[in-house]
């Protein structure tokens, strides 16, 4: 059982200079980034390239009466203006969403959210294109907007999706998990029942780089080259082939360096399709890059879950039952991204890390006049909502029972002997040592001492809070038999080639947006075969140069692609054994492996290094029967289950009594992601996710006024945290390997965003306890906290 505290003040410090395998290896991609030599989609400039700009709806709900493009077309530099009517004959006015709905590329009948795409101008440069938008004359017949999801199913509200045949309401779907009747029985006999409404507001991933594409269609060869900000190049290519009718092998999709995705770059946006259409229409390459407001107003939002929770327990704190009843606002088109069978993502994880007699969850999703999207933003497919929910509920019960929230959790954890554990809501957790991790975290933060400090401060009338969150995620979708997107099963390919001189190239199907795949995937190969990581190149983000796979989201790269890379390397290692045996004139069974070479059992001096074997594989030697003359291999890995990383997070806040301002004074994250490939990268992932958590807990929200105007459409209004608002992160770890992953690794990329908001909000509520507050919704802005302190908070 391994555990520890991370480097605190020199996170870049290497444990050893250059580990051959796992360890704190400096990022291989950084020399290019720190020199400004990254190559992003907006850096792509092609000969004769034109620029597109999108005219967007100024209102949330309106019928389009007419669109006059003549004046715009007459402007200097304008090459074409495309409207929905032009797309209809191409069958491209509407495209499928990732959730089997359709979404307008350009509005033909109505606009359904503020910022929706209405027309596309193609011009010689970006300025000419943008200026021409002003000259397009659209006549709108304004309709009542539906803004509040709580009223979406009322009888007298407008029907947003009248484009769908036979549709008379705004209902999308009902989804359930767990056992309603058994849970009711548990509640009926429970000594204590508490309920709480918990809202996870609409937020936005807001990556540094916005979304964009450069499309280059060659009418002679029929080939489409598409540079695109995509987290899933292969899946995008297949879907574009299906939608645009261009043969898949004629589409070359390249996702170059990506300036952050956080889920924002999973979906296929109208702008991508318009760049393609624009290139086909004009015969030139066309670039489309959105600006910040377009990004915030029109691309995948996240969350927007209104959750009613009920928790049943005994008086001494044994958890019995948990019920969640959720209203999900999906916006104007159901474009949420998750495996087909999971319309509420992996909300099935809402029972969290505890044993229950019974649980029941229900999610009802509805249309509103807001931007489509859903699940994006470091969410592990709605695990963000699920763990925020259960961690708030458990704390709410602790308040009711007047019990320490750490003690309450410790009393109810799933025990190590219970794994693999059926969480009663459809998922089987692979491994966990929750109690140990919790104790490790309590020790690192000095929990008892903090409670003493808090008691002293409370006696002086100061507001100090200690918040806890103990989350369990499920990451690494597939398996294919349960998980697909638009019929594409979730598995990943990997190809490894060891060249004659012993240098290697590994090709993967996932796409880094900053997660350091070029480093960590080379480390997996290095660990398995002993070639130094600097001798291993990782190729990704280019459909012509990589095997098929479903891409990077839901922290699936390590659980799925990482497994594929480990297995393809083992395949090469096995092949190397056959060749080494021939070289050493012995039987393969008589050879033993040590990192980097095969040697004869009992005679370590007689051996061949992997580099020697690589040269022999390509040389003049007679290879054993059935062995190809190379040292290459390929695999497709279909995971047997998700991996279940988890963590114990502690947050200490101070609240200014006179202003309601919350300061996060300390934050400790103890994560368990199984085997750790690169602790420095893990630390970076955790730091970033914790910063997201502070953002959502304290400042981020996309709100709408009653007309449906987006009030979070710029960084003046949509606040994201800077170094000023976050503390010096404290991190620690435990290691509980995944039993079914070849190297025992679980994902980490979203853990901190999933786990941290509950710890912060629980801490705020804990600080406000002396004022009688038992609940508050995110973001805990000074105004909201002030209101709560004055007793204006929603009744518990
Ligand atoms: N890692 C490791 N040991 C482990 C697990 C992971 O060293 N046991 C390393 C991996 O090798 C990888 C990184 O940590 O380099 C993240 O791995 P993983 O958890 O598999 O997550 P993904 O690579 O699939 O990344 C996706 C995840 C998601 S879904 C979002 S959202 C998010 C996140 O990553 N977006 C990010 N982190 C981000 N970080 C950056 N910089 N930019 C984003 O857009
Ligand atoms: Cu849900 S955000 Mo990440 O899975 O790309």
């Amino acid at each position: 059982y391994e555990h520890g505290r991370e480097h605190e003040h020199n996170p870049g410090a290497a444990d050893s200079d250059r580990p051959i395998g796992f360890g704190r290896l400096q990022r291989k991609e950084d020399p290019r980034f720190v020199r400004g030599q990254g190559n992003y989609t907006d850096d792509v400039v092609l000969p004769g390239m034109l620029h597109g700009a999108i005219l967007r709806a100024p209102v949330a709900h309106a019928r389009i009466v007419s669109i006059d493009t003549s004046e715009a077309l007459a402007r200097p530099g304008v090459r074409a203006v495309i409207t929905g009517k032009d797309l209809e004959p191409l069958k491209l006015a509407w495209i499928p969403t990732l959730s089997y709905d359709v979404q307008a590329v350009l509005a033909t009948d109505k606009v359904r959210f503020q910022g929706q795409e209405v027309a596309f101008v193609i011009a010689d440069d970006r300025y000419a294109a943008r200026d021409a938008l002003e000259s397009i004359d659209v006549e709108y017949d304004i309709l009542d907007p539906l803004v509040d999801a709580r009223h979406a199913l009322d009888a007298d509200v407008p029907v947003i999706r009248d484009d769908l045949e036979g549709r008379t309401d705004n209902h999308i779907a009902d989804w359930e998990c767990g056992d309603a009747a058994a849970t009711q029985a548990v509640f009926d006999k429970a000594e204590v029942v508490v309920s709480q409404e918990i809202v996870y507001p609409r937020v936005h991933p807001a990556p540094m780089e916005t979304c964009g594409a450069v499309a280059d269609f060659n009418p002679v060869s029929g080939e489409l080259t598409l540079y695109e900000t995509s987290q899933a190049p292969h899946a995008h290519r297949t879907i574009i082939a299906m939608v645009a009718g261009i043969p898949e092998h004629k589409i070359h999709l390249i996702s170059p360096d990506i300036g952050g995705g956080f889920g924002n770059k999973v979906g296929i946006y109208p702008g991508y399709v318009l760049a393609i259409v624009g290139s086909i229409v004009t015969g030139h390459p066309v670039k489309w890059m959105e600006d910040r407001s377009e990004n915030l107003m029109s691309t995948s939002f996240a969350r927007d879950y209104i959750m009613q929770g009920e928790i049943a327990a005994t008086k001494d704190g044994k958890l019995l039952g948990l019920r969640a009843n959720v209203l999900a606002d999906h916006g104007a088109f159901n474009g949420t991204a998750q495996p087909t069978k999971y319309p509420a993502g992996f909300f099935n994880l809402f029972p969290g890390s505890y044993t229950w007699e019974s649980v029941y969850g229900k999610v009802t999703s509805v249309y509103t006049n807001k931007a489509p999207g859903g699940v994006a933003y470091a969410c592990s497919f709605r695990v963000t909502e699920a763990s925020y929910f259960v961690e708030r509920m458990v704390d709410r019960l602790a308040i009711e029972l007047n019990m320490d929230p750490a003690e309450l959790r410790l009393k109810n954890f799933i025990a190590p002997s219970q794994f693999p554990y059926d969480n009663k809501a459809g998922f089987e957790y692979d491994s966990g040592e929750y109690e140990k991790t919790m104790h490790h975290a309590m020790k690192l933060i000095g929990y008892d001492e903090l409670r003493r400090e808090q008691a002293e401060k409370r006696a002086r009338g100061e507001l100090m809070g200690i918040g806890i969150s103990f989350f369990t995620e499920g990451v690494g979708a597939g398996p294919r038999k349960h998980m697909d997107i638009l019929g594409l099963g979730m598995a990943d390919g990997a190809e490894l080639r060891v060249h004659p001189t012993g240098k290697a190239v590994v090709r993967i199907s996932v796409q880094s947006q900053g997660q350091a795949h070029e480093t960590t995937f080379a480390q997996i190969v290095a660990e398995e075969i002993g070639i130094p990581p600097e001798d291993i190149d990782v190729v990704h983000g280019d459909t012509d140069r990589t095997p098929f796979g479903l891409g990077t989201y839901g922290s699936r790269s390590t659980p799925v692609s990482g497994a594929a890379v480990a297995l393809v390397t083992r395949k090469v290692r096995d092949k190397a054994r056959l060749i080494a045996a021939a070289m050493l004139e012995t039987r393969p069974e008589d050879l033993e492996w040590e990192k980097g070479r095969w040697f004869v059992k009992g005679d370590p001096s007689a051996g061949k290094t992997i580099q020697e074997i690589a040269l022999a594989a390509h040389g003049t030697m007679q290879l054993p029967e059935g062995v190809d003359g190379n040292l290459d291999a390929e695999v497709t890995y279909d995971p047997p289950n998700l991996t279940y990383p988890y963590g114990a997070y502690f947050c200490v806040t101070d609240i200014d009594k006179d202003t309601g301002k919350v300061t996060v004074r300390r934050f400790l994250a103890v994560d368990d992601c199984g085997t750790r490939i690169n602790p420095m990268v893990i630390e970076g992932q955790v730091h970033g996710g914790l910063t997201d958590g502070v953002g959502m807990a304290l400042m981020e929200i996309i709100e709408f006024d009653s007309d449906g105007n987006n009030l979070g459409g710029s960084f003046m209004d949509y606040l994201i945290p800077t170094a000023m608002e976050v503390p010096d992160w404290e991190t620690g770890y435990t290691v509980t390997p995944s039993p079914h992953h070849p190297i025992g690794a679980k994902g980490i990329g979203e853990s901190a965003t999933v786990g941290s908001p509950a710890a912060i909000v629980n801490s705020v509520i804990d600080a406000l306890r002396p004022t009688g507050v038992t609940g508050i919704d995110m973001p805990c802005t000074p105004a909201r906290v002030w209101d709560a302190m004055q007793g204006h908070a929603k009744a518990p």
Side-chain angles (χ1 to χ4, degrees):
Y1 170 66
E2 212 188 303
H3 65 279
R5 186 195 276 274
E6 293 281 15
H7 292 246
E8 272 172 56
H9 298 296
N10 56 343
D15 285 341
S16 66
D17 275 340
R18 275 184 305 185
I20 297 183
F22 302 158
R24 302 178 77 89
L25 184 72
Q26 299 279 310
R27 288 171 28 120
K28 287 172 61 144
E29 40 274 88
D30 282 348
R32 122 171 143 261
F33 291 138
V34 299
R35 287 173 172 84
Q37 297 296 310
N39 185 39
Y40 298 88
T41 297
D42 204 21
D43 292 325
V44 173
V45 175
L46 300 178
M49 187 175 80
L50 304 175
H51 297 258
I54 294 175
L55 179 72
R56 294 178 181 277
V59 292
H61 202 191
R63 207 159 284 290
I64 296 177
V65 179
S66 64
I67 304 180
D68 183 353
T69 60
S70 53
E71 201 181 308
L73 260 173
R75 290 182 63 102
V78 172
R79 302 284 188 110
V81 182
I82 297 169
T83 66
K85 289 276 168 264
D86 303 319
L87 296 178
E88 273 176 339
L90 305 170
K91 294 197 167 55
L92 283 175
W94 296 83
I95 51 170
T97 68
L98 298 180
S99 291
Y100 292 91
D101 192 358
V102 288
Q103 166 175 11
V105 175
L106 291 174
T108 48
D109 52 342
K110 290 201 303 192
V111 294
R112 292 176 169 83
F113 67 92
Q114 188 190 42
Q116 191 183 334
E117 298 79 1
V118 174
F120 188 60
V121 172
I122 301 157
D124 289 343
D125 61 57
R126 197 176 156 88
Y127 305 98
R130 295 235 150 192
D131 287 350
L133 297 179
E134 309 272 329
S135 308
I136 300 174
D137 192 12
V138 187
E139 195 189 327
Y140 291 106
D141 181 8
I142 310 274
L143 303 168
D144 281 342
L146 171 62
V147 180
D148 187 349
R150 292 175 206 256
H151 291 299
L153 301 177
D154 291 357
D156 54 348
V157 295
V159 176
I160 297 169
R161 296 302 302 280
D162 48 355
D163 58 294
L164 299 173
E165 221 170 275
R167 177 147 294 265
T168 54
D169 62 20
N170 298 307
H171 182 252
I172 298 176
D174 284 319
W175 169 90
E176 293 176 295
C177 67
D179 187 330
T183 306
Q184 183 58 49
V186 167
F187 273 84
D188 286 344
K189 63 160 206 211
E191 290 168 349
V192 184
V193 172
V194 214
S195 56
Q196 175 76 42
E197 182 185 280
I198 298 171
V199 178
Y200 208 135
R202 180 174 275 237
V203 290
H204 199 280
M208 243 199 291
E209 178 202 36
T210 58
C211 300
V214 180
D216 183 10
F217 183 75
N218 182 328
V220 178
S221 65
E223 280 169 337
L224 170 68
T225 306
L226 184 62
Y227 297 86
E228 205 200 61
T229 50
S230 170
Q231 294 181 216
H234 284 278
H236 276 201
R237 175 169 76 164
T238 305
I239 294 167
I240 287 167
M242 290 169 173
V243 170
I246 301 171
E248 192 168 359
H249 65 294
K250 298 270 189 196
I251 303 176
H252 180 190
L253 200 149
I254 302 161
S255 287
D257 286 326
I258 295 197
F262 307 101
N264 192 212
K265 290 160 182 167
V266 172
I268 296 195
Y269 296 119
Y272 301 161
V273 178
L274 291 168
I276 298 170
V277 173
S279 180
I280 294 173
V281 167
T282 61
H284 287 263
V286 171
K287 177 185 281 184
W288 166 75
M289 278 308 297
E290 65 186 4
D291 67 19
R292 181 59 58 190
S293 285
E294 294 183 281
N295 180 259
L296 286 170
M297 290 177 71
S298 71
T299 60
S300 286
F301 74 90
R303 328 290 190 242
D304 224 338
Y305 260 33
I306 301 169
M307 306 184 277
Q308 303 294 338
E310 286 171 285
I311 192 166
T314 64
K315 268 190 230 141
D316 59 356
K318 176 89 199 79
L319 299 178
L320 300 175
L322 182 65
R323 209 149 40 189
N325 194 348
V326 179
L327 180 63
D329 184 340
H330 283 205
F333 306 106
N334 184 22
T336 61
Q338 69 264 304
T340 303
K341 286 188 203 164
Y342 301 87
F346 296 165
F347 194 77
N348 307 62
L349 284 146
F350 81 98
S353 317
Y354 315 103
T355 55
W356 306 88
E357 282 185 14
S358 187
V359 298
Y360 173 65
K362 180 174 181 210
V363 178
T364 300
S365 48
V366 296
Y367 291 119
T368 59
N369 285 116
K370 298 178 194 166
V375 310
Y377 191 176
C379 55
S380 308
F381 299 125
R382 302 276 189 203
V383 184
T384 39
E385 290 90 326
S387 40
Y388 181 67
F389 172 80
V390 61
E391 289 307 296
R392 283 281 312 274
M393 287 308 296
V394 166
D395 255 46
R396 182 66 192 80
L397 178 69
I399 292 174
E400 191 71 20
L401 298 174
N402 200 15
M403 200 169 160
D404 182 282
E407 189 193 330
L408 179 57
R409 286 176 171 83
L410 281 164
K411 201 172 175 137
N412 290 285
F413 279 142
I414 301 161
S417 61
Q418 290 175 284
F419 290 89
Y421 183 77
D422 171 356
N423 84 339
K424 302 203 163 111
F427 279 48
E428 190 184 272
Y429 300 175
D430 59 351
S431 62
E433 298 251 11
Y434 296 164
E435 195 183 322
K436 279 184 184 167
T437 304
M438 184 71 169
H439 281 305
H440 182 50
M442 287 170 76
K443 207 172 107 212
L444 286 185
I445 192 97
Y447 187 68
D448 296 340
E449 181 48 41
L450 280 175
R451 284 290 175 205
R452 271 195 291 278
E453 181 193 341
Q454 182 185 44
E456 281 168 29
K457 290 206 161 143
R458 276 191 181 160
R460 293 201 298 267
E462 293 171 36
L463 300 177
M464 167 186 165
I466 305 163
I468 305 174
S469 151
F470 196 104
F471 65 94
T472 297
E473 279 183 280
V475 301
R480 267 187 178 172
K481 66 175 187 287
H482 298 311
M483 296 176 194
D484 68 275
I485 283 191
L486 292 179
L488 300 171
M490 293 185 153
D492 283 319
E495 295 170 10
L496 177 63
R497 285 186 195 175
V498 184
H499 295 310
T501 54
K503 315 287 179 196
V505 175
V506 63
R507 301 167 191 279
I508 57 176
S509 55
V510 290
Q511 167 65 40
S512 174
Q513 307 108 48
Q515 298 90 337
H517 290 175
E518 288 167 38
T519 308
T520 53
F521 283 86
Q523 288 182 274
I524 297 174
V525 176
E527 177 76 20
E528 293 292 332
I529 208 165
I531 296 175
E534 61 267 29
D535 287 348
I536 302 162
D537 260 359
V538 177
V539 177
H540 65 113
D542 182 332
T543 53
D544 275 10
R545 298 173 66 210
T546 55
F548 184 83
L550 267 257
T552 293
Y553 41 81
S555 303
R556 64 186 296 285
S557 302
T558 304
V560 188
S561 241
V565 166
L567 293 181
V568 81
T569 312
R570 286 176 195 176
K571 217 166 157 179
V572 165
R573 194 171 73 197
D574 288 345
K575 184 172 179 182
R577 181 184 206 163
L578 302 178
I579 299 169
M583 293 167 79
L584 295 161
E585 295 179 346
T586 175
R587 294 178 315 165
E589 308 85 87
D590 295 334
L591 296 182
E592 208 173 307
W593 174 255
E594 71 178 350
K595 207 185 257 186
R597 67 179 209 132
W598 284 107
F599 67 91
V600 178
K601 275 180 198 157
D603 181 10
S605 66
K608 292 290 173 194
T609 66
I610 196 75
Q611 289 83 358
E612 288 165 339
I613 300 168
L615 191 57
H618 295 88
T620 55
M621 191 184 88
Q622 173 74 42
L623 293 173
E625 178 94 10
V627 174
D628 276 351
N630 59 45
L631 202 51
D632 306 346
E634 57 182 74
V635 299
T636 298
Y637 180 76
D638 183 8
N641 188 5
L642 301 174
T643 66
Y644 292 83
Y646 64 93
Y649 287 8
F650 284 73
C651 175
V652 181
T653 54
D654 297 309
I655 297 181
D656 184 329
K657 277 174 80 169
D658 298 322
T659 62
K661 182 174 185 295
V662 177
T663 302
V664 177
R665 190 205 321 160
R666 285 183 71 189
F667 199 109
L668 168 74
V670 173
D671 275 283
D672 192 318
C673 59
T675 305
R676 293 147 55 81
I677 299 161
N678 186 326
M680 181 193 73
V681 168
I682 292 172
E683 217 179 329
Q685 290 291 299
V686 171
H687 287 185
L690 296 176
T691 306
D692 283 342
V694 167
M696 289 184 290
L698 301 185
M699 57 191 92
E700 294 180 33
I701 185 168
I702 303 263
E703 279 183 298
F704 294 82
D705 69 13
S706 57
D707 290 330
N709 291 310
N710 186 323
L711 304 178
S714 82
F715 277 166
M716 291 293 286
D717 308 297
Y718 188 75
L719 305 182
I720 54 172
T722 68
M724 297 296 291
E725 287 84 25
V726 300
D728 247 348
W729 303 117
E730 300 168 52
T731 52
Y733 64 93
T734 58
V735 178
T736 311
S738 168
H740 62 77
H741 187 281
I743 58 170
K746 304 178 177 185
I748 187 70
E750 297 163 304
S751 296
T753 317
V754 166
S756 57
I760 300 167
V761 176
N762 282 340
S763 179
V764 169
I765 295 168
D766 189 48
L768 295 176
R769 281 303 297 133
T771 70
V773 169
T774 54
I776 188 170
D777 280 323
M778 297 188 283
C780 301
T781 57
R784 283 194 188 200
V785 171
W786 175 262
D787 262 5
M789 283 161 62
Q790 311 311 309
H792 302 312
K794 249 177 285 161

